[in-house]
Amino acid sequence: MAAEQPRVLDSIVDGLRFETLTLSRAEEAYALQAEAFADEPASAFTLADRAARLEECKRFSGMFTEECAGNGLSVACIEASTDKMVGALWIRDFRAPMHPSFEEILSKLTNLGKVIDVLVQVDGMYDALRPEVVGLGKAADLWMLAVHPDHRRKNIASKLTDIGLAHAHAAGFEVVVLESTGAFSARCAAKAGMHEIAGIDYADERQVHKELAGLQATPHTRLRIWESRREVAAKEELEADAERQGFKLVHRHWQGPGWSPGEVFGETGPGPEETMSGYVLRRESSSFQVSVQSNLQCIPNRDAQVPNAGHRL
């Protein structure tokens, strides 16, 4: 259950505040999501009448409003000077059951329903590749992202994705996924460091709705599912930080008494019968590799709390 008061996730930058979404602002977020998805490329290409698209998007968004506004995971972007919501990212458990009326409502959405059918197909491809991602609490889904038309092209979508991704991992989800129906959300996922795991081109003959193939214009030609894993994300952040400071991240494995004091994160290493896998920093030269001796840093790869690579012991 979400707290009654929103929790600020990022301080005010460029007049914007990012905070957890609460039920008190559920209707505001609902209206924003419906309007945004009525303009979403995959939707717009399949139904020319915007008023009709908006009605479909309202019906679809309405199924998730209460859940996503009350689960403590979703993120809102607020214009500080007016307290107006200008962006929202709905996040839900990837394995949470859908709304009881999901199938019935989806069958009546002649436009959006086809895109969701392809999304479900790609989710099935992901499931085949990630059979271990099962049960509640394992994976979060960056489900629906919206930015007010007057505030687009201000990097709000990317900022919401970055903050939502970090917030979901911090909430305990080892895996975070994002399903992109077009190029805009795909760009946000890639910028946030997520990796495409599965996808299908709308023109692919295996795609369940062949009639969508000729309607999707470049660059919105592929539906994908992206993934971030907390351990991988932490390692990539450490690698990037190390590279900026002229170091290379190298995996090391210690066993028995062969460890060297100071080479692990701390002044002691594994005991005589213990093993430890981790990462150390090495500085490269043109002719040989130089150990930084006691300044080497080991981060056990089971530890999600990754210190800054620039910190030397």
Side-chain angles (χ1 to χ4, degrees):
M1 179 67 67
E4 291 184 2
Q5 295 297 320
R7 182 161 63 90
V8 176
L9 300 174
D10 197 44
S11 57
I12 296 176
V13 178
D14 296 328
L16 302 173
R17 181 179 73 250
F18 294 84
E19 62 188 33
T20 53
L21 179 62
T22 60
L23 286 169
S24 63
R25 304 195 76 149
E27 289 303 311
E28 196 175 353
Y30 159 72
L32 190 61
Q33 290 285 3
E35 287 285 346
F37 268 79
D39 294 330
E40 202 274 337
S43 172
F45 290 138
T46 52
L47 185 60
D49 186 343
R50 190 184 187 281
R53 294 201 309 269
L54 180 58
E55 287 306 310
E56 287 202 357
C57 292
K58 284 181 177 178
R59 297 187 68 184
F60 183 79
S61 300
M63 290 189 287
F64 302 97
T65 302
E66 185 174 352
E67 174 196 357
C68 292
N71 61 12
L73 295 173
S74 300
V75 182
C77 176
I78 309 298
E79 186 177 46
S81 61
T82 63
D83 200 43
K84 176 184 176 181
M85 187 182 299
V86 298
L89 172 59
W90 282 358
I91 305 176
R92 64 192 302 270
D93 193 305
F94 186 52
R95 298 304 185 191
M98 289 297 186
H99 189 279
S101 301
F102 180 79
E103 294 295 339
E104 178 186 354
I105 291 177
L106 197 65
S107 68
K108 298 176 181 178
L109 302 180
T110 57
N111 165 53
L112 190 58
K114 294 176 182 178
V115 177
I116 298 302
D117 284 344
V118 182
L119 185 149
V120 171
Q121 182 181 10
V122 171
D123 281 353
M125 297 165 66
Y126 177 84
D127 292 344
L129 294 169
R130 295 288 192 264
E132 75 280 7
V133 183
V134 295
L136 296 175
K138 178 68 174 180
D141 190 357
L142 307 188
W143 179 232
M144 296 176 70
L145 173 63
V147 177
H148 191 279
D150 294 342
H151 292 268
R152 291 172 187 168
R153 301 185 183 278
K154 295 181 180 180
N155 207 38
I156 293 175
S158 291
K159 187 71 172 175
L160 278 167
T161 304
D162 289 343
I163 292 174
L165 180 61
H167 179 49
H169 277 317
F173 289 95
E174 177 63 30
V175 177
V176 179
V177 300
L178 181 154
E179 297 126 325
S180 62
T181 57
F184 297 146
S185 48
R187 191 178 303 129
C188 288
K191 285 178 64 177
M194 303 183 79
H195 301 279
E196 180 182 340
I197 304 302
I200 192 167
D201 292 340
Y202 289 108
D204 194 307
E205 62 181 14
R206 297 171 299 164
Q207 192 260 107
V208 293
H209 284 293
K210 307 297 187 297
E211 64 272 28
L212 294 180
L215 299 174
Q216 305 299 319
T218 303
H220 311 286
T221 57
R222 184 172 176 82
L223 197 154
R224 322 161 196 248
I225 184 166
W226 304 75
E227 179 189 80
S228 169
R229 289 183 172 248
R230 184 166 51 191
E231 178 180 316
V232 173
K235 178 176 179 288
E236 289 178 344
E237 182 180 352
L238 186 62
E239 284 178 329
D241 199 2
E243 184 178 353
R244 282 192 294 269
Q245 301 185 52
F247 286 85
K248 179 181 179 181
L249 199 68
V250 180
H251 183 266
R252 287 287 301 274
H253 183 76
W254 291 265
Q255 184 170 6
W259 58 272
S260 299
E263 286 194 343
V264 296
F265 190 65
E267 290 303 319
T268 61
E273 305 301 326
E274 296 178 290
T275 62
M276 176 183 288
S277 291
Y279 301 102
V280 298
L281 297 175
R282 290 187 183 276
R283 188 186 296 277
E284 301 281 359
S285 74
S286 58
S287 58
F288 59 93
Q289 190 176 68
V290 180
S291 293
V292 192
Q293 299 302 329
S294 62
N295 286 337
L296 288 179
Q297 186 181 39
C298 169
I299 308 301
N301 55 17
R302 296 181 299 275
D303 186 357
Q305 303 300 316
V306 181
N308 187 297
H311 176 68
R312 315 277 180 71
L313 295 178

